Amino acid sequence: MKKLNLFALAVTCVFGLGFASCADEANSPAKDQLATTASNTNSTTSKVAGAPWVKQFEDTFNVGSNLSQWTKEQRADYNSWYCDYYSSVPTTQWRDGRQCLEIKTTKLSTYKYQSGFITSNYQYKPENNTEYMLSATIKLVAMDGGTYKSFTQTYGAWPAFWSVQGNAWPTQGEIDIMEGYSFAPNSSRFTSNIFYGTSTGTNLLGNSAERNYPGNFDINGNGGWHLYESFWKMKDNVVTVTIKVDNVTVATYTNSSVANLNFNNFGKHSIILNMNVGSKDSNFIDPNKINLFSSVMMWVDDVTVYKRPI
């Protein structure tokens, strides 16, 4: 997210230097390679190369699971005048033949929208010579009465999948894996970003770490579902963060790739899924143009975290 330095929490992510081909099975196994993993959180899965990944966290959002692994926020959004988060909004539902998380955003009044925001109780950060892989499968969709609309037909929706240590933000960092901005009838865009600073409320990076998804990113591809992954590793005390979409690398970052960035000071991160609406910057998102039809929804089929030695 475009961060307002006045606030102690952020919604942004890290993206790299354009779409690059990625066929490194050791670093980014296809999702079906993980499917054989047993359901308990300490099970392992074999890899084509390298050490085995060990599952640290998983939520498949089975209907009725009541999101017990998450905290459901009840507050206003820090970056928008127009969005309030209600703890009743995030639910588990059957959608597209899947059991999944649903965050459903609806209009309450002319300039107020109701949405959802969940934070994992689980936190993680790589130790030296370890790597973590965080992934989620997500679909964004709108409804106009009983008719489905593409997310790209809306204006003013701002969904995100990210990780952060919120204490004294941004001193312990933030990694945004996916942020979507709907700007119909003009092109919507999707980005990733990183935030970091040495004092509370002051982001030293500006938007220098923000990276747009490539122009040909198709939000409706694969039925609208996409696999988003963040690889966060420390090898010989050098930290690298890599972001992938549908198994393709879109960003790779080290401390040397962005001025003032220091991954080594990042704290343990929680996982965030939320749908914001509008902004405190009317030049960024015009509140008078917001159009979500009847609702905009973020569906999340699976969130997992794996760890391995490297």
Side-chain angles (χ1 to χ4, degrees):
M1 280 190 177
K2 291 186 179 295
K3 270 314 163 244
L4 300 175
N5 291 337
L6 301 175
F7 307 109
L9 193 61
V11 183
T12 340
C13 207
V14 61
F15 255 74
L17 305 175
F19 246 163
S21 169
C22 135
D24 179 6
E25 286 183 275
N27 197 38
S28 179
K31 197 71 171 178
D32 58 4
Q33 289 179 277
L34 301 179
T36 57
T37 305
S39 59
N40 72 78
T41 56
N42 291 317
S43 58
T44 65
T45 182
S46 348
K47 307 300 290 183
V48 173
W53 291 93
V54 179
K55 188 190 297 181
Q56 306 295 303
F57 173 86
E58 181 174 38
D59 200 333
T60 58
F61 302 111
N62 291 334
V63 172
S65 64
N66 77 19
L67 300 174
S68 59
Q69 299 189 84
W70 306 80
T71 297
K72 295 178 280 187
E73 302 281 349
Q74 178 94 17
R75 59 170 175 81
D77 186 87
Y78 296 133
N79 297 293
S80 175
W81 303 117
Y82 311 104
C83 181
D84 290 339
Y85 296 118
Y86 288 74
S87 60
S88 59
V89 168
T91 59
T92 52
Q93 304 288 342
W94 278 99
R95 298 290 184 253
D96 274 6
R98 306 169 183 241
Q99 296 185 80
C100 64
L101 166 71
E102 178 178 84
I103 296 177
K104 186 176 183 178
T105 301
T106 55
K107 186 176 183 177
L108 296 179
S109 61
T110 303
Y111 293 112
K112 188 60 72 172
Y113 295 82
Q114 171 184 283
S115 192
F117 185 119
I118 62 171
T119 304
S120 68
N121 301 324
Y122 167 81
Q123 294 184 316
Y124 73 106
K125 175 186 176 178
E127 308 83 32
N128 193 30
N129 297 322
T130 63
E131 179 177 25
Y132 280 83
M133 173 176 59
L134 164 63
S135 69
T137 305
I138 300 172
K139 179 174 180 175
L140 303 171
V141 65
M143 290 290 293
D144 185 11
T147 303
Y148 282 105
K149 296 285 188 179
S150 168
F151 173 82
T152 59
Q153 293 177 273
T154 69
Y155 182 97
W158 187 352
F161 168 41
W162 47 297
S163 69
V164 72
Q165 168 54 256
N167 297 331
W169 181 91
T171 61
Q172 297 182 72
E174 175 181 330
I175 302 171
D176 296 348
I177 301 142
M178 182 278 288
E179 288 191 286
Y181 309 97
S182 61
F183 293 119
N186 300 315
S187 297
S188 297
R189 69 187 182 100
F190 295 83
T191 72
S192 175
N193 209 338
I194 289 179
F195 288 94
Y196 171 73
T198 56
S199 59
T200 301
T202 302
N203 168 38
L204 295 178
L205 308 186
N207 281 312
S208 63
E210 185 178 67
R211 299 291 183 267
N212 288 330
Y213 280 34
N216 61 356
F217 176 75
D218 179 12
I219 191 62
N220 295 314
N222 194 29
W225 291 95
H226 294 279
L227 173 64
Y228 301 91
E229 296 172 298
S230 171
F231 294 82
W232 184 4
K233 71 179 181 181
M234 180 186 287
K235 178 65 173 177
D236 298 331
N237 294 308
V238 175
V239 180
T240 304
V241 171
T242 302
I243 307 298
K244 298 186 179 184
V245 181
D246 296 330
N247 297 309
V248 176
T249 299
V250 295
T252 301
Y253 281 92
T254 63
N255 288 334
S256 61
S257 66
V258 178
N260 300 313
L261 175 60
N262 190 343
F263 277 127
N264 299 75
N265 289 341
F266 277 36
K268 286 189 173 182
H269 278 199
S270 295
I271 305 161
I272 312 288
L273 292 154
N274 74 292
M275 175 85 78
N276 189 14
V277 180
S279 171
K280 290 187 172 181
D281 180 358
S282 60
N283 292 316
F284 174 46
I285 298 177
D286 185 344
N288 297 306
K289 293 182 180 180
I290 294 175
N291 175 22
L292 306 186
F293 297 102
S294 302
S295 64
V296 173
M297 293 170 288
M298 183 182 200
W299 295 341
V300 184
D301 179 43
D302 192 13
V303 174
T304 58
V305 178
Y306 285 84
K307 176 185 178 181
R308 68 172 180 173
I310 54 174

